[in-house]
């Protein structure tokens, strides 16, 4: 059942609660003369209690909304500067927004709680007309919050198992099948004779990480493989550390699958430093293709997709919502595996 969006508190609400006129509230909140300090303090206290925020749209004298959409990333800031996926995604988003002269409000925060706070603040201040949401999680609090606020959104990535998106009338879900993509990697390595495979994964609470882990385990059971997944924060530091750990184990893997290009390049550097030839003794696969994957030696086998086009499609779906369209569940094209020099037959 469609929820009634929460109503933003207004100056009139503050005036009624404070027992003063609306003009007095306006003077108090805008720091103008004409009200006593006692009244000013009371008005500001009531405004905080009601969750009132000044309207960015009003400040811009815009009568057609904020003309802005938002994107918040709850990722370690240290990992974003070298990760090409989000740069390409945002590039595609911006291409579409530019055709409608819309702005993109972008913010990096430390955790999911801070991300939810950003949505509440943006909604209260009327800063954005809709948002793009990345990195879906199990028991994700963001879709229910966006439902409550009545803030249109496109969630990029697979929703948690059991959530088909129909319970979120203002949210479109754009996703690609991570499980089938991982199955293609496992099939490729199995065909090359690999039986011991390590998976250097991303953040463990992300839905796509869980789908990849589950898919790899299912393929391991089907093909009789020995697989282990290791979560990381996507940083090259953790990618290198996990690679050293698995290579030092009693039965090291003959192949390693990495959940990003940065992790894969870090793993390749560890193998080179230890004198382990790739792919003669160790095969490496990267999840996301990038210029990093194509310029290493050997070039890295990787999953290839047009991430810029993915961003364009996400923005187009959000604009469709803002234009009054229905929320949809949209499957994007499956990333394809491109074998390169970093994968070869398993050593005997």
């Amino acid at each position: 059942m469609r929820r009634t969006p929460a109503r933003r508190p207004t100056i009139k609400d503050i005036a009624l609660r404070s027992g003063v006129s609306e003009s007095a509230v306006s003077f108090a909140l805008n720091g103008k003369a004409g009200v006593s300090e006692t009244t000013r303090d009371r008005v500001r206290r009531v405004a905080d209690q009601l969750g009132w925020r000044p309207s960015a749209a009003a400040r811009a004298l815009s009568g057609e909304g904020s003309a802005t959409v938002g994107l918040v990333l709850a990722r370690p800031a240290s990992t974003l500067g070298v990760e090409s996926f989000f740069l390409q995604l945002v590039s595609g988003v911006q291409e579409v927004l530019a055709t409608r002269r819309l702005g993109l409000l972008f913010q990096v925060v430390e955790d999911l709680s801070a991300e939810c706070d950003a949505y509440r603040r943006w909604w209260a201040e009327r800063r954005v007309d809709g948002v793009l949401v990345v990195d879906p999680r199990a028991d994700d609090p963001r879709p229910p919050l966006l439902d409550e606020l009545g803030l249109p959104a496109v969630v990029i990535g697979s929703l948690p198992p059991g959530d088909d998106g129909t319970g979120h009338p203002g949210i479109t879900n754009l996703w690609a099948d991570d499980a089938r993509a991982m199955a293609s990697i496992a099939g490729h390595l199995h065909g090359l004779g690999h039986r011991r495979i390590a998976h250097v994964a991303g953040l463990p609470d992300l839905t796509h990480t869980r789908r990849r882990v589950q898919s790899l385990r299912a393929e391991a059971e089907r093909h009789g493989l020995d697989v282990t997944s290791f979560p990381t924060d996507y940083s090259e530091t953790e990618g290198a550390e996990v690679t050293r750990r698995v290579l030092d184990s009693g039965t090291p893997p003959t192949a390693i699958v990495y959940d990003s290009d940065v992790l894969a390049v870090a793993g390749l550097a560890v193998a080179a430093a230890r004198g382990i030839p790739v792919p003669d003794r160790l095969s490496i696969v990267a999840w996301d293709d990038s210029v990093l994957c194509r310029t290493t030696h050997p070039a890295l086998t990787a999953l290839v997709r047009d991430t810029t086009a993915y961003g364009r499609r996400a923005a187009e779906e959000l604009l469709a919502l803002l234009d009054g369209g229905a929320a949809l569940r949209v499957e994007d094209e499956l990333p394809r595996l491109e074998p390169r020099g970093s994968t070869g037959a398993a050593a005997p």
Side-chain angles (χ1 to χ4, degrees):
M1 184 175 67
R2 188 179 184 92
R3 298 183 184 181
T4 301
R7 190 176 69 84
R8 294 181 177 90
T10 65
I11 285 180
K12 184 176 181 179
D13 297 325
I14 300 171
L16 289 173
R17 179 75 68 87
S18 304
V20 298
S21 67
E22 292 180 35
S23 60
V25 171
S26 179
F27 289 157
L29 295 176
N30 290 297
K32 295 181 179 179
V35 295
S36 68
E37 286 304 312
T38 300
T39 298
R40 193 184 308 277
D41 290 343
R42 182 167 74 252
V43 166
R44 288 177 174 173
R45 186 167 58 251
V46 168
D48 287 341
Q49 292 169 352
L50 293 177
W52 179 88
R53 295 293 184 276
S55 167
R59 287 198 302 267
L61 298 179
S62 170
E64 302 178 355
S66 67
T68 304
V69 302
L71 172 62
V72 184
L73 293 183
R75 286 280 191 99
S78 60
T79 69
L80 295 176
V82 293
E83 189 167 327
S84 63
F85 175 83
F86 285 115
L87 295 176
Q88 295 175 49
L89 186 77
V90 170
S91 175
V93 168
Q94 190 59 51
E95 282 184 31
V96 172
L97 297 184
T99 66
R100 296 274 290 267
R101 297 185 179 180
L102 298 176
L104 178 65
L105 181 56
F106 176 73
Q107 186 170 347
V108 178
V109 296
E110 64 274 13
D111 56 32
L112 205 57
S113 176
E115 181 175 343
C116 289
D117 287 343
Y119 295 142
R120 293 186 186 96
R121 185 174 64 255
W122 288 354
W123 170 81
E125 296 174 357
R126 298 172 174 82
R127 284 188 176 273
V128 298
D129 297 319
V131 294
L132 298 165
V133 180
V134 297
D135 291 341
R137 292 161 166 82
D139 301 318
D140 200 322
R142 294 171 297 175
L145 172 62
L146 295 170
D147 283 339
E148 178 185 342
L149 298 177
L151 195 58
V154 172
V155 174
I156 304 171
S158 298
L159 292 171
D163 189 346
D164 62 1
T166 58
H168 309 298
I171 298 176
T172 284
N173 180 212
L174 174 65
W175 62 288
D177 195 333
D178 288 282
R180 286 175 59 199
M182 179 59 86
S184 71
I185 294 174
H188 172 69
L189 294 175
H190 176 262
L192 292 172
H194 295 279
R195 299 296 180 266
R196 295 192 308 278
I197 302 172
H199 173 210
V200 180
L203 296 165
D205 61 334
L206 301 185
T207 301
H208 68 248
T209 301
R210 296 188 178 194
R211 288 186 184 275
R212 295 173 192 180
V213 170
Q214 292 167 358
S215 175
L216 185 56
R217 287 175 180 170
E219 293 303 305
E221 185 174 344
R222 188 159 75 93
H223 293 300
L225 309 177
D226 178 9
V227 303
T228 309
S229 295
F230 303 88
T232 70
D233 65 358
Y234 284 108
S235 70
E236 58 183 311
T237 300
E238 289 200 7
E241 176 56 34
V242 171
T243 302
R244 284 189 284 267
R245 193 161 71 242
V246 299
L247 293 178
D248 288 340
S249 64
T251 54
T254 61
I256 305 179
V257 180
Y258 293 89
D259 263 9
S260 77
D261 54 343
V262 173
L263 292 173
V265 171
L268 180 64
V270 170
R274 296 195 170 197
I276 299 174
V278 175
D280 294 342
R281 283 179 51 201
L282 178 68
S283 286
I284 290 178
V285 178
W287 190 270
D288 287 314
D289 189 32
S290 72
V291 66
L292 288 176
C293 297
R294 299 188 293 272
T295 55
T296 58
H297 182 74
L300 295 177
T301 294
L303 280 176
V304 177
R305 69 175 167 194
D306 190 339
T307 305
T308 301
Y310 196 42
R312 286 197 296 267
R313 191 165 189 183
E316 288 165 356
E317 294 297 338
L318 182 55
L319 292 184
L321 282 177
L322 297 179
D323 289 339
L328 303 172
R329 193 159 192 260
V330 182
E331 183 175 1
D332 202 59
E333 67 176 296
L334 184 72
R336 60 177 178 81
L337 186 67
E338 183 165 319
R340 297 190 181 116
S342 67
T343 51

